[in-house]
Amino acid sequence: MGSSIITGKTRICGLIGDPVEHTVSPAMHNAAFKKLGLDFLYLPFRVKPEALGEAVAGLRALNIIGFNVTIPHKVAVIPLLDSLDPLAEKIGAVNTVVNKDGELRGDNTDGPGFLQALLGRGVEVGGKNTVLLGAGGAARAIAYILAEEGANLTILNRQLEIDQAEALARDIAEDFRQAAGVMELGDENLKKALEKADMLVNATSVGMSPERDATPVPAHLLKSALVVFDIVYHPMKTRLLKEAEAAGARTINGVDMLAWQGALAFEKWTGQKAPLDLMRKEAMKALQKHED
Ligand code: NAP
């Protein structure tokens, strides 16, 4: 909060999800508000799936300035909103809502946050052969942004029958006239896909706490020529990142993307440039508490 006292002018924003107990977003945003002297407050709201409609109606009635949306509401919230940013519409998932004079507009800062995290580390995307693991909400956001930036995509996902990866590749082909390869996630296909790859992105939840010993890619397939980006941020250094580092690869962790997606939401709500480094530091501090 910008001032230490809540006043009649304090603007409220927050997060809806279930669970929200371990979110680091309040720490990131409230520290940023304070740093910029903004009379804003960010609150977490645990909202059960069956109460989502009531929650959004309540947030609307309370004229909240905006809110983040996390698991399990990123898709279900869409019909409850008044409009959608075109990228969020294509991705089919919303992680940020902005209240513009009573109109609730859905946006997605996960893909742009991912891209900014890469650019911030000096990694250009255009023309890069990229192996993307996963076809869930975050993977869709990342696939769109990578396709928009001209990366060549190969998507690997388990449960090929469910067709999520094929649907994603079809959507990319329609929107960007660009073919994306699709394979089932497994060691043989990983070996094939990684032979020509410049970049590997894990957008599955494999390796996330408490399954810290899990990794989506066997260590012997990692090589020094790769940029390896794991969007899992809890733990901050996953087994995949440790093994990629040991193989001499460049690594980027999920905290960078987490800070960036938060910073981009912050800018939409406040109209001010976000203090990114502070937000990253606060996110790491809050995550560290869960890791101890
Ligand atoms: P999601 O929509 O539930 O998608 C999960 C993905 O992981 C799906 O592709 C799923 O495959 C795959 N998966 C899950 N368990 C697997 C396993 N044992 N083996 C292989 N694949 C498996 O979730 P999401 O929202 O995309 O989030 C995915 C991860 O990204 C989470 O860890 C989340 O915390 C992280 N994330 C990070 C940021 C950030 O800012 N750093 C932002 C968003 C998300 P199926 O399709 O086969 O089920």
Side-chain angles (χ1 to χ4, degrees):
M1 194 174 42
S3 72
S4 52
I5 301 165
I6 294 173
T7 72
K9 290 187 191 149
T10 304
R11 311 302 311 264
I12 309 290
C13 49
L15 164 76
I16 56 171
D18 183 23
V20 293
E21 280 74 8
H22 290 108
T23 176
V24 304
S25 293
M28 278 201 299
H29 285 283
N30 288 321
F33 295 146
K34 190 166 178 185
K35 164 111 178 165
L36 269 59
L38 296 170
D39 191 7
F40 278 58
L41 178 65
Y42 186 104
L43 296 168
F45 299 105
R46 182 175 182 191
V47 174
K48 297 244 168 247
E50 59 275 21
L52 181 63
E54 276 178 281
V56 173
L59 294 172
R60 184 195 288 277
L62 294 170
N63 200 26
I64 191 165
I65 196 118
F67 53 95
N68 284 133
V69 184
T70 190
I71 290 170
H73 305 313
K74 284 185 174 184
V75 176
V77 77
I78 289 177
L80 306 170
L81 304 174
D82 302 313
S83 64
L84 277 185
D85 167 82
L87 180 63
E89 187 167 12
K90 281 180 185 162
I91 294 166
V94 160
N95 80 329
T96 301
V97 176
V98 182
N99 180 352
K100 250 196 152 184
D101 305 321
E103 182 194 312
L104 296 185
R105 186 168 176 79
D107 211 322
N108 192 310
T109 65
D110 278 337
F114 168 82
L115 180 65
Q116 289 305 324
L118 275 178
L119 297 177
R121 299 281 167 185
V123 179
E124 294 292 334
V125 173
K128 285 254 158 72
N129 291 324
T130 304
V131 173
L132 174 65
L133 310 181
R140 280 190 70 88
I142 289 168
Y144 265 91
I145 215 82
L146 286 174
E148 209 167 66
E149 293 296 310
N152 305 313
L153 273 181
T154 305
I155 304 163
L156 275 78
N157 195 41
R158 64 173 182 175
Q159 300 177 0
L160 207 60
E161 318 77 79
I162 296 183
D163 254 7
Q164 281 202 58
E166 299 244 331
L168 176 54
R170 232 179 2 252
D171 291 346
I172 297 277
E174 258 171 43
D175 286 323
F176 297 99
R177 306 225 170 117
Q178 182 181 321
V182 176
M183 291 176 168
E184 191 164 350
L185 183 53
D187 291 3
E188 269 312 299
N189 285 340
L190 272 170
K191 184 168 181 245
K192 221 182 295 167
L194 286 172
E195 261 160 24
K196 292 173 293 178
D198 307 302
M199 184 157 73
L200 165 69
V201 180
N202 177 36
T204 74
S205 46
V206 177
M208 190 167 83
S209 203
E211 312 288 337
R212 289 163 179 244
D213 289 339
T215 178
V217 182
H220 70 272
L221 297 181
L222 300 167
K223 54 185 185 184
S224 61
L226 279 175
V227 173
V228 179
F229 194 148
D230 196 340
I231 74 162
V232 170
Y233 53 81
H234 182 41
M236 288 183 261
K237 198 184 265 189
T238 57
R239 177 173 167 190
L240 172 64
L241 288 185
K242 284 182 195 159
E243 291 178 346
E245 225 172 67
R250 268 193 78 178
T251 59
I252 305 177
N253 72 18
V255 183
D256 262 20
M257 174 175 164
L258 184 66
W260 266 110
Q261 64 74 33
L264 295 172
F266 179 99
E267 290 176 2
K268 288 176 193 295
W269 296 327
T270 65
Q272 306 237 11
K273 190 166 165 33
L276 178 79
D277 289 343
L278 173 77
M279 292 177 84
R280 187 195 287 118
K281 215 169 73 198
E282 290 296 327
M284 285 170 69
K285 221 160 58 181
L287 285 167
Q288 195 61 52
K289 280 189 196 146
H290 302 313
E291 298 207 351
D292 291 340

